[in-house]
mmCIF file of all heavy atoms in Angstrom:
data_model
loop_
_atom_site.group_PDB
_atom_site.id
_atom_site.type_symbol
_atom_site.label_atom_id
_atom_site.label_comp_id
_atom_site.label_asym_id
_atom_site.label_seq_id
_atom_site.Cartn_x
_atom_site.Cartn_y
_atom_site.Cartn_z
ATOM 1 N N GLN A 238 20.386 -58.277 47.217
ATOM 2 C CA GLN A 238 20.571 -57.854 48.616
ATOM 3 C C GLN A 238 21.750 -56.883 48.726
ATOM 4 O O GLN A 238 21.710 -55.917 49.475
ATOM 5 C CB GLN A 238 20.831 -59.080 49.503
ATOM 6 C CG GLN A 238 19.691 -59.430 50.445
ATOM 7 C CD GLN A 238 18.466 -59.959 49.725
ATOM 8 O OE1 GLN A 238 18.532 -60.300 48.553
ATOM 9 N NE2 GLN A 238 17.351 -60.016 50.427
ATOM 10 N N THR A 239 22.769 -57.204 47.942
ATOM 11 C CA THR A 239 23.948 -56.333 47.947
ATOM 12 C C THR A 239 23.575 -54.927 47.501
ATOM 13 O O THR A 239 24.000 -53.928 48.093
ATOM 14 C CB THR A 239 25.011 -56.904 46.982
ATOM 15 O OG1 THR A 239 24.985 -58.313 47.068
ATOM 16 C CG2 THR A 239 26.377 -56.371 47.311
ATOM 17 N N ILE A 240 22.750 -54.882 46.451
ATOM 18 C CA ILE A 240 22.342 -53.568 45.946
ATOM 19 C C ILE A 240 21.501 -52.839 46.984
ATOM 20 O O ILE A 240 21.678 -51.650 47.236
ATOM 21 C CB ILE A 240 21.562 -53.736 44.629
ATOM 22 C CG1 ILE A 240 22.518 -54.222 43.543
ATOM 23 C CG2 ILE A 240 20.889 -52.423 44.227
ATOM 24 C CD1 ILE A 240 21.882 -54.417 42.219
ATOM 25 N N MET A 241 20.585 -53.593 47.589
ATOM 26 C CA MET A 241 19.729 -52.954 48.594
ATOM 27 C C MET A 241 20.555 -52.449 49.762
ATOM 28 O O MET A 241 20.267 -51.410 50.331
ATOM 29 C CB MET A 241 18.650 -53.927 49.053
ATOM 30 C CG MET A 241 17.534 -54.054 48.033
ATOM 31 S SD MET A 241 16.019 -54.615 48.751
ATOM 32 C CE MET A 241 16.083 -56.323 48.377
ATOM 33 N N ASP A 242 21.596 -53.210 50.095
ATOM 34 C CA ASP A 242 22.503 -52.753 51.155
ATOM 35 C C ASP A 242 23.114 -51.403 50.787
ATOM 36 O O ASP A 242 23.203 -50.497 51.612
ATOM 37 C CB ASP A 242 23.631 -53.777 51.365
ATOM 38 C CG ASP A 242 23.212 -54.852 52.358
ATOM 39 O OD1 ASP A 242 22.307 -54.547 53.166
ATOM 40 O OD2 ASP A 242 23.762 -55.955 52.312
ATOM 41 N N ALA A 243 23.522 -51.323 49.521
ATOM 42 C CA ALA A 243 24.155 -50.086 49.073
ATOM 43 C C ALA A 243 23.179 -48.918 49.135
ATOM 44 O O ALA A 243 23.564 -47.783 49.409
ATOM 45 C CB ALA A 243 24.684 -50.261 47.658
ATOM 46 N N LEU A 244 21.895 -49.210 48.843
ATOM 47 C CA LEU A 244 20.898 -48.136 48.831
ATOM 48 C C LEU A 244 20.354 -47.840 50.221
ATOM 49 O O LEU A 244 19.650 -46.859 50.422
ATOM 50 C CB LEU A 244 19.729 -48.533 47.922
ATOM 51 C CG LEU A 244 20.027 -48.598 46.421
ATOM 52 C CD1 LEU A 244 18.814 -49.135 45.683
ATOM 53 C CD2 LEU A 244 20.403 -47.234 45.893
ATOM 54 N N ASP A 245 20.648 -48.704 51.152
ATOM 55 C CA ASP A 245 20.051 -48.581 52.478
ATOM 56 C C ASP A 245 20.727 -47.460 53.255
ATOM 57 O O ASP A 245 21.654 -47.678 54.029
ATOM 58 C CB ASP A 245 20.186 -49.919 53.207
ATOM 59 C CG ASP A 245 19.415 -49.899 54.504
ATOM 60 O OD1 ASP A 245 18.752 -48.876 54.769
ATOM 61 O OD2 ASP A 245 19.481 -50.886 55.237
ATOM 62 N N ILE A 246 20.219 -46.268 53.021
ATOM 63 C CA ILE A 246 20.867 -45.072 53.561
ATOM 64 C C ILE A 246 20.629 -44.939 55.070
ATOM 65 O O ILE A 246 21.424 -44.353 55.791
ATOM 66 C CB ILE A 246 20.364 -43.847 52.759
ATOM 67 C CG1 ILE A 246 21.331 -42.673 52.873
ATOM 68 C CG2 ILE A 246 18.973 -43.437 53.158
ATOM 69 C CD1 ILE A 246 21.100 -41.639 51.785
ATOM 70 N N THR A 247 19.535 -45.526 55.558
ATOM 71 C CA THR A 247 19.184 -45.301 56.971
ATOM 72 C C THR A 247 19.942 -46.225 57.924
ATOM 73 O O THR A 247 20.213 -45.844 59.055
ATOM 74 C CB THR A 247 17.671 -45.489 57.214
ATOM 75 O OG1 THR A 247 17.277 -46.748 56.673
ATOM 76 C CG2 THR A 247 16.868 -44.378 56.587
ATOM 77 N N SER A 248 20.295 -47.430 57.460
ATOM 78 C CA SER A 248 20.938 -48.356 58.399
ATOM 79 C C SER A 248 22.327 -47.854 58.793
ATOM 80 O O SER A 248 22.825 -48.164 59.869
ATOM 81 C CB SER A 248 21.019 -49.761 57.812
ATOM 82 O OG SER A 248 21.991 -49.787 56.806
ATOM 83 N N ARG A 249 22.964 -47.073 57.906
ATOM 84 C CA ARG A 249 24.243 -46.453 58.261
ATOM 85 C C ARG A 249 24.054 -45.509 59.440
ATOM 86 O O ARG A 249 24.892 -45.399 60.317
ATOM 87 C CB ARG A 249 24.799 -45.645 57.087
ATOM 88 C CG ARG A 249 25.804 -46.366 56.251
ATOM 89 C CD ARG A 249 25.164 -47.286 55.297
ATOM 90 N NE ARG A 249 26.129 -48.037 54.519
ATOM 91 C CZ ARG A 249 25.775 -48.900 53.589
ATOM 92 N NH1 ARG A 249 24.492 -49.132 53.350
ATOM 93 N NH2 ARG A 249 26.671 -49.544 52.922
#
Side-chain angles (χ1 to χ4, degrees):
Chain A
Q238 250 69 13
T239 323
I240 291 180
M241 283 203 262
D242 273 336
L244 291 174
D245 188 3
I246 201 162
T247 51
S248 73
R249 263 80 183 181

